[in-house]
């Protein structure tokens, strides 16, 4: 019996579990969350090819260590710093896009929904939605190419400056006239902010997403490109087929009908009543003021 007790005291204490606190569990969850998103980012970008290349280089490095290939090991040792710098330069667009997407996600506001002015009022009216939908499908019938960018939380001033400032009220007739063939404003995109057309003939960044269909032209790539770098919604009318597409968050949804487009815009309208039931920072203060008035 003493032998068994001595065995347990001598060997099993070595493999005993460490003390795990709440902070340790929280730290594990944060690391797991970060690793999950890094893996997803790697799979969705050119970085996956980079990871494959790094794995191949690591295999060669292990072989060189096992066989004591001093020259190859010297090359690895002296080029690793340059290689990391080169990776950052080559994959700068992907890294920038990943950081932009990270900054775009409102993690804090989703946990603590502060009551601010942007949440209280709608982005654009029902009339604006109706006018955009009507104009879009009127242009689709005549196969008039169109590119309509609707601003959300991220300002589009950088792209607005590339076009001609209009600052006009939205109407279906005006939208159709802007994109009419052989008119001064038909080329490029228009930018809508709230209930107004702020600019026309704007230049947009083209998407370099290799998964986009090869039959899509510059107009669709520009629509997807602006949705990759901002949180805007882009409506594209194809000049070749007359089909309507929507680009948002780098994803292109093709062949949408009027009801789908209206539903999509209504979803992002952010329409809320003035007495929205949200957590207010000054809620306690207002209660005390009411008591004082009584």
């Amino acid at each position: 019996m003493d032998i068994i007790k001595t065995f347990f005291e001598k060997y099993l204490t070595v493999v005993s579990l460490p003390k795990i606190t709440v902070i340790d569990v929280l730290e594990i969850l944060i690391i797991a969350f970060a690793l999950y998103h890094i893996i997803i980012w790697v799979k969705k970008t050119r970085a996956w090819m980079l990871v494959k290349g790094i794995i191949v280089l690591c295999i060669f490095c292990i072989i060189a260590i096992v066989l004591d290939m001093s020259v190859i090991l010297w090359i690895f040792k002296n080029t690793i710093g340059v290689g990391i710098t080169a990776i950052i330069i080559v994959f700068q667009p992907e890294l920038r896009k990943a950081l932009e997407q990270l900054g775009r996600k409102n993690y804090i506001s989703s946990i603590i929904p502060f009551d601010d002015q942007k949440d209280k009022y709608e982005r654009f009216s029902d009339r604006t939605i109706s006018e955009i939908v009507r104009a879009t499908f009127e242009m689709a019938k005549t196969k008039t190419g169109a590119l309509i960018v609707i601003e959300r939380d991220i300002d589009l001033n950088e792209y607005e400056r590339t076009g001609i400032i209009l600052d006009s009220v939205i109407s279906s007739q005006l939208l159709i006239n802007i994109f009419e063939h052989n008119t001064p404003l038909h080329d490029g995109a228009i930018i809508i902010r709230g209930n107004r057309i702020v600019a026309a003939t704007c230049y947009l960044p083209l998407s370099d997403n290799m998964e986009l269909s090869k039959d899509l032209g510059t107009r669709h790539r520009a629509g997807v490109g602006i949705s990759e770098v901002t949180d805007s919604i882009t409506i594209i009318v194809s000049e070749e087929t007359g089909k309507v597409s929507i680009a948002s968050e780098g994803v292109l949804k093709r062949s949408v009908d009027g009801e789908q487009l209206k539903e999509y815009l209504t979803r992002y309208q952010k329409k809320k009543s003035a007495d929205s039931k949200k957590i207010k920072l000054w809620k306690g203060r207002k209660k005390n003021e009411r008591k004082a008035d009584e």
Side-chain angles (χ1 to χ4, degrees):
M1 194 69 182
D2 291 335
I3 296 172
I4 297 172
K5 186 179 179 181
T6 305
F7 174 81
F8 276 101
E9 289 177 352
K10 187 175 181 180
Y11 294 103
L12 293 188
T13 52
V14 179
V15 294
S16 61
L17 293 174
K19 186 180 179 182
I20 299 174
T21 63
V22 176
I23 299 298
D24 296 325
V25 173
L26 182 62
E27 193 173 12
I28 291 168
L29 290 175
I30 291 171
I31 293 171
F33 178 81
L35 285 174
Y36 170 76
H37 282 278
I38 289 170
I39 292 169
I40 294 297
W41 173 74
V42 167
K43 289 287 288 182
K44 288 184 177 180
T45 63
R46 292 183 299 163
W48 178 238
M49 303 303 295
L50 173 68
V51 171
K52 289 181 179 178
I54 290 173
I55 292 172
V56 172
L57 288 175
C58 288
I59 292 171
F60 279 118
C61 186
I62 292 169
I63 293 171
I65 292 170
V66 171
L67 299 179
D68 195 20
M69 298 177 177
S70 57
V71 177
I72 294 177
L73 292 174
W74 181 87
I75 293 171
F76 271 113
K77 183 179 178 182
N78 288 277
T79 58
I80 189 167
V82 178
I84 292 171
T85 306
I87 289 169
I88 293 172
I89 293 170
V90 171
F91 287 90
Q92 183 266 340
E94 280 79 8
L95 293 170
R96 178 184 172 184
K97 191 182 297 181
L99 291 173
E100 285 175 347
Q101 290 174 352
L102 181 64
R104 200 182 301 167
K105 292 180 180 179
N106 297 320
Y107 294 110
I108 296 176
S109 62
S110 61
I111 299 171
I112 308 174
F114 296 110
D115 187 32
D116 55 9
Q117 288 299 108
K118 280 189 176 182
D119 292 332
K120 195 176 286 186
Y121 302 109
E122 62 190 23
R123 287 195 176 100
F124 37 82
S125 66
D126 293 334
R127 178 187 174 278
T128 295
I129 294 175
S130 298
E131 294 294 322
I132 292 173
V133 173
R134 185 182 299 118
T136 298
F137 285 93
E138 284 294 327
M139 290 186 286
K141 288 178 185 176
T142 58
K143 294 186 178 180
T144 302
L147 191 56
I148 303 171
V149 183
I150 302 172
E151 182 183 86
R152 290 176 63 199
D153 292 330
I154 298 176
D155 290 334
L156 301 177
N157 294 330
E158 176 185 349
Y159 307 100
E160 180 187 335
R161 287 193 293 267
T162 65
I164 298 172
I165 303 301
L166 295 182
D167 192 24
S168 59
V169 177
I170 295 172
S171 69
S172 58
Q173 294 87 349
L174 178 58
L175 289 170
I176 293 169
N177 284 334
I178 287 174
F179 290 108
E180 189 66 37
H181 292 290
N182 302 320
T183 56
L185 301 179
H186 87 283
D187 195 19
I190 68 165
I191 293 176
I192 291 176
R193 179 180 297 128
N195 296 309
R196 301 185 74 82
I197 303 171
V198 294
T201 68
C202 299
Y203 294 107
L204 305 180
L206 299 180
S207 173
D208 58 357
N209 185 354
M210 303 303 293
E211 294 181 3
L212 288 176
S213 176
K214 299 298 181 183
D215 62 345
L216 297 177
T218 305
R219 184 177 286 110
H220 287 81
R221 288 196 170 273
V224 176
I226 189 68
S227 73
E228 288 175 341
V229 297
T230 69
D231 63 348
S232 61
I233 306 166
T234 308
I235 302 168
I236 309 117
V237 181
S238 173
E239 193 171 352
E240 288 75 24
T241 63
K243 291 182 179 180
V244 178
S245 303
I246 301 173
S248 177
E249 298 180 354
V251 178
L252 184 68
K253 187 176 182 180
R254 304 176 67 182
S255 302
V256 299
D257 57 27
E259 286 300 319
Q260 288 175 317
L261 178 58
K262 188 173 182 179
E263 181 185 347
Y264 205 89
L265 293 177
T266 304
R267 189 189 314 163
Y268 290 105
Q269 187 181 13
K270 213 170 189 179
K271 190 173 183 179
K272 294 182 183 294
S273 59
D275 56 347
S276 177
K277 294 181 180 179
K278 279 194 160 192
I279 297 174
K280 298 183 180 180
L281 291 175
W282 298 97
K283 189 174 180 181
R285 182 174 176 272
K286 289 183 179 179
K287 282 183 178 179
N288 293 334
E289 286 176 353
R290 283 198 299 268
K291 287 180 181 178
D293 291 338
E294 292 172 357

Coordinates of all heavy atoms in Angstrom, one line a residue, residues 52 67 82 117 119-120 150 181 185 228 257 265 270 272 291:
K52 N 1.3 27.8 -47.8 CA 1.8 26.6 -48.4 C 3.3 26.8 -48.7 O 4.1 25.8 -48.5 CB 1.0 26.4 -49.7 CG -0.4 25.9 -49.5 CD -1.1 25.6 -50.9 CE -2.5 25.2 -50.7 NZ -3.2 24.9 -52.0
L67 N 20.5 17.0 -41.9 CA 21.6 16.6 -42.6 C 22.8 17.6 -42.4 O 23.9 17.4 -43.1 CB 21.3 16.6 -44.1 CG 20.2 15.6 -44.5 CD1 19.9 15.6 -46.0 CD2 20.6 14.2 -44.1
V82 N 14.6 39.7 -44.2 CA 14.2 40.3 -45.4 C 12.9 39.6 -45.9 O 12.0 40.3 -46.5 CB 15.3 40.1 -46.5 CG1 14.9 40.7 -47.8 CG2 16.6 40.8 -46.0
Q117 N -27.2 59.7 -31.9 CA -28.1 60.3 -32.9 C -28.3 59.4 -34.1 O -29.3 59.4 -34.7 CB -27.6 61.7 -33.3 CG -27.7 62.7 -32.2 CD -29.2 63.0 -31.9 OE1 -29.6 62.6 -30.8 NE2 -29.9 63.6 -32.7
D119 N -28.4 56.2 -34.4 CA -29.3 55.1 -34.2 C -30.7 55.6 -34.1 O -31.7 54.8 -34.3 CB -28.9 54.4 -32.9 CG -27.6 53.6 -33.0 OD1 -27.3 53.3 -34.2 OD2 -27.0 53.4 -32.0
K120 N -30.9 56.9 -33.8 CA -32.3 57.4 -33.5 C -33.1 57.6 -34.8 O -34.3 57.5 -34.9 CB -32.2 58.7 -32.7 CG -33.5 59.1 -32.1 CD -33.4 60.3 -31.2 CE -32.7 60.0 -29.9 NZ -32.7 61.1 -29.0
I150 N -24.7 53.7 -52.2 CA -25.5 54.3 -51.1 C -24.6 54.2 -49.9 O -24.1 53.2 -49.4 CB -26.8 53.5 -50.8 CG1 -27.6 53.5 -52.1 CG2 -27.5 54.1 -49.7 CD1 -28.8 52.6 -52.0
H181 N -27.7 57.2 -72.0 CA -26.5 57.2 -72.9 C -26.2 58.5 -73.5 O -27.1 59.3 -73.8 CB -26.8 56.2 -74.0 CG -26.8 54.7 -73.6 ND1 -25.7 54.0 -73.1 CD2 -27.9 53.9 -73.5 CE1 -26.1 52.8 -72.8 NE2 -27.4 52.7 -72.9
L185 N -23.1 63.0 -67.6 CA -22.9 62.4 -66.3 C -23.1 60.9 -66.3 O -23.0 60.3 -65.2 CB -23.9 63.0 -65.3 CG -23.9 64.5 -65.1 CD1 -24.9 65.0 -64.1 CD2 -22.5 64.9 -64.6
E228 N -15.9 46.4 -50.8 CA -14.8 45.8 -50.0 C -14.1 46.7 -49.1 O -13.7 46.3 -48.0 CB -13.8 45.2 -51.0 CG -14.3 43.9 -51.7 CD -13.4 43.4 -52.8 OE1 -12.5 44.2 -53.2 OE2 -13.5 42.3 -53.2
D257 N -34.8 41.0 -57.9 CA -36.0 41.6 -58.5 C -36.3 42.8 -57.6 O -35.6 43.2 -56.6 CB -37.1 40.6 -58.5 CG -37.5 40.0 -57.2 OD1 -37.2 40.6 -56.1 OD2 -38.0 38.9 -57.1
L265 N -32.8 47.3 -49.2 CA -32.6 48.7 -48.8 C -33.3 49.0 -47.5 O -32.8 49.7 -46.6 CB -33.1 49.6 -49.9 CG -32.3 49.6 -51.2 CD1 -33.0 50.5 -52.2 CD2 -30.9 49.9 -51.0
K270 N -32.3 51.5 -41.3 CA -32.1 51.7 -39.8 C -33.2 52.6 -39.3 O -33.0 53.6 -38.6 CB -30.7 52.4 -39.6 CG -30.1 52.1 -38.3 CD -28.7 52.5 -38.3 CE -27.9 52.0 -37.1 NZ -26.6 52.4 -37.0
K272 N -35.9 53.7 -36.9 CA -36.3 53.5 -35.5 C -37.1 54.6 -35.0 O -37.0 55.7 -35.5 CB -35.0 53.4 -34.7 CG -34.2 52.1 -35.0 CD -33.0 52.1 -34.0 CE -32.1 50.9 -34.4 NZ -32.7 49.6 -34.1
K291 N -38.1 62.2 -10.4 CA -38.4 62.2 -8.9 C -38.4 63.5 -8.3 O -39.2 63.9 -7.5 CB -37.5 61.2 -8.2 CG -37.8 59.7 -8.5 CD -36.8 58.9 -7.8 CE -37.0 57.4 -8.1 NZ -36.1 56.5 -7.5

